[in-house]
Amino acid sequence: MAHNVTIEQIAAHAGEAVTLHGWVADKTDKGKLQFLRVRDGTGVIQATLFHKSVSPEAFEAAKHVPQESSVIVTGEVRQEPRAPGGYELSVTDFEVVQRARGEFPITPKEHGIEFLMANRHLWLRSSRQHAILRVRATIIQAIRNWLDEQGFLLMDTPILTPAAVEGTTTLFETDFYGDPAYLTQSGQLYNEANAMAFGKVYCFGPTFRAEKSKTRRHLSEFWMVEPEWAFGTLDDYMKVAEQMVSYVVQTVLEKRAAEMEMLERDLAPLKRVVPPFPRISYDDAVKLIQTKGDANFKWGDDFGAPDETLISEQFDRPVFVYKYPTEMKAFYMAPDAERPEVCLSADLLAPEGYGEIIGGGQRSDNLEYLEAQLEKHKLPREPYEWYLDLRKYGSVPHCGFGLGIERTVAWICKLEHVRETIPFPRMLEKIYP
Ligand code: 4AD
Ligand code: MG
C-alpha cells in the first residue's frame, strides 16, 4: 500500500511506494515515456510514466493532461542524482482530479509585470514566488520566536481606530456606525497602554497607509511588528532592534538556504548582519550628504531614497540614524532634554539601497508636553484622552519600534519591489485580485 507523502518528505521514502497530491507544473512527451513535473506546494518532483508500467487509461490521461491540472500520482521513489532535488517517481498509477480548462496563463516564457500582477492568484504557484513567500514565513516565525523568548507578550491591537498615529495625510477612512473611523497606521499608541499594563509587549498585524505615490517601498496595506516596553530608552531600543534583526537574518540563512540559492541572493552582505550595528546622528548624516551627495541638503530636510542609500553605503551592515529633528517626526516622540529641537528617535536603514526598515524611539512621558504636541500637530484632544491618561497614572520613560515586514523581506531576498513580498499586495490603484 502506498502512503500519502509530500514532496518535502520524499527523501525519507526512497525505495518505497508513495502517493502524491498535486498539480502538473510541466510536461514532456517522449512517446512511450511521459515526464511530468509535479508540484504539491512543498516542492517539485519529476514523475516518469512508462507505458508498460501503468494502465493504458492512466498513460493516455498523462499524455494529454494540460499544465496545472490537479492530479494524484502513485509510484516508487527512486534516487536519481541527475533529477532536481535528487529523487524521481516511477509512476504506477496516475489519476486526474480536474483537467485544467484551457491553457494556463503563466508559461515558462517571460511575462510583463502588469500581466503577472493581474494574475497574482496564479503567479503564486511559481517557484520564485514560493521561495520569497517561504522566506517571508520564516522571517515572521523568527521574529515571533525571538520576541516570545525575550519575554515580550503578544498583544493584539485594534485595526479600527478613532485617531491617527503617524500623521493625518495617509489615513484610510471608513464608516463606523455612522461616525468616521480609520484603519490603523500602527498599533503603537495602544501598545503603550499595553506596556504600562504588562511591561514588555508586542503587536503584529496589518497596518494601513493611503500612500499616494508609487514607489518600490510603499504598500497601502503592510504588516508591522511593534515591540514596546516600559522603562526603556532610545539606547535600549537600538540594542533590542539590532539583536532582533540579526537573529532574523541569521535564521533565514540557516533555514532557507535553498530558497536564497533559488533567488541567487549574494549571502556575504547578510552574513555580516551581526551586532553591534553602527549608529550615526541625524546631524552627522546631514553633513555626510552635504559633502558626498546633495550640497543643497539642509538640516531639517527629510532623507530621500538616494540620501538613505548614501548613508548606508558608508557601512557594512544596517545603520541606525538617531535624533532626528523633532519637527520631522510624529507628535509622540520624546524631545532630547538638552536639545529639544531633536527627538529621541531612530530609524534603521538596511544595506544595499533598501532604506528604512524600522522606525522607533523613546516616547514622551510628559503630560503637558504631549498636550502641547497634539495642538501643534492640529490633532483633536478627545480621541487621545485615554493616551494622555497613561501620562497621569505612573508615567515612565518607555520606548518601542516598528519593523515593516515587506521591506525586510525585499531586502533579505534582494527584490526590486515590495509587491512580491506579500501574497496579495495592496498598492495605489491596485486592489485586484
Ligand atoms: O516609521 P513608521 O511610520 O513608524 C511607526 O509607525 C511607529 N509607530 C512604529 C513604532 O514605533 N511602533 O513605520 C515603521 C516601519 C517603516 O520603517 C517601514 O519598514 C514600514 O513600517 N512602513 C511601510 N512598509 C511598507 N509600505 C508602507 N507604506 C510603509 N510605511 C511604513
Ligand atoms: Mg518612519
Side-chain angles (χ1 to χ4, degrees):
M1 236 315 257
H3 45 268
N4 296 337
V5 299
T6 61
I7 295 170
E8 199 173 38
Q9 306 163 334
I10 214 82
H13 298 277
E16 294 173 22
V18 301
T19 298
L20 300 175
H21 295 69
W23 295 263
V24 176
D26 208 352
K27 199 181 63 145
T28 312
D29 185 345
K30 295 263 187 199
K32 290 178 178 172
L33 269 176
Q34 298 296 321
F35 296 103
L36 302 180
R37 286 204 321 124
V38 175
R39 61 166 191 87
D40 71 348
T42 72
V44 185
I45 192 166
Q46 176 163 290
T48 309
L49 279 92
F50 181 50
H51 79 300
K52 286 197 174 146
S53 307
V54 294
S55 70
E57 298 75 36
F59 191 80
E60 275 307 297
K63 195 173 169 77
H64 301 290
V65 70
Q67 187 193 348
E68 286 305 321
S69 297
S70 42
V71 294
I72 301 174
V73 194
T74 298
E76 189 192 323
V77 180
R78 285 219 334 253
Q79 202 156 8
E80 171 50 71
R82 285 166 304 174
Y87 295 89
E88 65 171 35
L89 200 66
S90 293
V91 180
T92 53
D93 198 12
F94 179 80
E95 184 190 325
V96 176
V97 178
Q98 194 241 353
R99 240 182 93 85
R101 300 186 184 200
E103 202 180 316
F104 192 64
I106 299 176
T107 57
K109 74 166 204 254
E110 289 275 312
H111 294 285
I113 188 66
E114 287 292 321
F115 177 83
L116 290 169
M117 288 299 290
N119 286 285
R120 183 67 176 162
H121 52 300
L122 304 177
W123 188 23
L124 289 176
R125 301 179 185 196
S126 79
S127 47
R128 177 181 156 85
Q129 299 309 310
H130 278 208
I132 295 168
L133 294 170
R134 282 176 195 286
V135 171
R136 176 190 172 101
T138 297
I139 289 172
I140 292 173
Q141 189 179 44
I143 290 170
R144 287 191 183 281
N145 287 348
W146 193 83
L147 288 169
D148 292 343
E149 237 157 64
Q150 301 293 315
F152 288 85
L153 187 71
L154 174 68
M155 298 289 288
D156 300 311
T157 49
I159 286 170
L160 289 169
T161 64
V165 186
E166 299 293 324
T168 52
T169 57
T170 61
L171 285 173
F172 274 113
E173 192 174 320
T174 180
D175 176 88
F176 193 73
Y177 306 112
D179 283 324
Y182 310 98
L183 300 183
T184 191
Q185 298 164 310
S186 153
Q188 180 197 319
L189 304 189
Y190 291 97
N191 244 356
E192 291 184 50
N194 292 335
M196 296 306 132
F198 293 88
K200 287 166 77 171
V201 298
Y202 71 101
C203 61
F204 201 151
T207 47
F208 304 87
R209 309 257 172 119
E211 303 281 2
K212 279 136 205 141
S213 61
K214 284 187 191 169
T215 81
R216 55 199 195 89
R217 297 179 182 178
H218 289 91
L219 292 168
S220 311
E221 179 180 308
F222 63 97
W223 285 66
M224 181 154 55
V225 60
E226 299 182 82
E228 186 79 29
W229 62 104
F231 299 100
T233 62
L234 171 61
D235 262 356
D236 295 334
Y237 139 50
M238 291 192 280
K239 282 189 189 126
V240 169
E242 68 190 358
Q243 294 289 339
M244 188 180 93
V245 169
S246 161
Y247 178 80
V248 167
V249 170
Q250 299 313 317
T251 303
V252 170
L253 290 178
E254 187 188 313
K255 298 206 165 145
R256 292 294 175 201
E259 284 76 8
M260 299 308 258
E261 196 184 326
M262 200 269 130
L263 296 167
E264 297 177 0
R265 176 58 159 118
D266 176 10
L267 302 181
L270 294 178
K271 289 185 179 150
R272 289 195 295 264
V273 181
V274 288
F277 295 171
R279 290 142 165 75
I280 179 175
S281 68
Y282 173 86
D283 293 347
D284 287 342
V286 169
K287 283 180 206 143
L288 176 80
I289 293 166
Q290 287 168 341
T291 51
K292 290 198 177 175
D294 174 5
N296 296 319
F297 194 93
K298 290 185 302 298
W299 194 95
D301 290 347
D302 210 345
F303 301 134
D307 306 315
E308 288 186 343
T309 303
L310 177 68
I311 298 166
S312 62
E313 274 169 3
Q314 313 305 310
F315 307 96
D316 70 346
R317 59 193 83 188
V319 53
F320 286 106
V321 181
Y322 63 92
K323 292 196 183 173
Y324 284 83
T326 306
E327 293 272 340
M328 260 172 63
K329 289 287 182 187
F331 77 96
Y332 53 71
M333 294 284 189
D336 186 354
E338 267 104 68
R339 263 182 86 200
E341 71 275 19
V342 297
C343 59
L344 304 180
S345 58
D347 286 353
L348 183 69
L349 308 184
E352 301 175 87
Y354 282 88
E356 179 198 333
I357 55 167
I358 291 182
Q362 193 173 325
R363 328 306 190 181
S364 171
D365 50 32
N366 181 292
L367 179 63
E368 287 71 30
Y369 180 78
L370 280 174
E371 286 173 332
Q373 281 291 91
L374 286 177
E375 261 184 42
K376 201 165 162 194
H377 287 253
K378 299 198 170 57
L379 294 166
R381 179 176 169 127
E382 204 189 336
Y384 295 92
E385 209 60 71
W386 66 270
Y387 185 71
L388 297 173
D389 271 356
L390 305 175
R391 278 70 184 172
K392 294 182 193 165
Y393 306 108
S395 193
V396 297
H398 61 288
C399 67
F401 65 96
L403 172 131
I405 297 303
E406 290 73 19
R407 288 192 193 172
T408 304
V409 176
W411 160 49
I412 293 179
C413 293
K414 200 160 182 181
L415 309 178
E416 275 294 307
H417 198 292
V418 288
R419 66 190 157 215
E420 285 181 83
T421 63
I422 184 165
F424 293 97
R426 299 291 172 245
M427 296 178 293
L428 186 65
E429 292 159 10
K430 276 233 177 343
I431 199 164
Y432 178 92

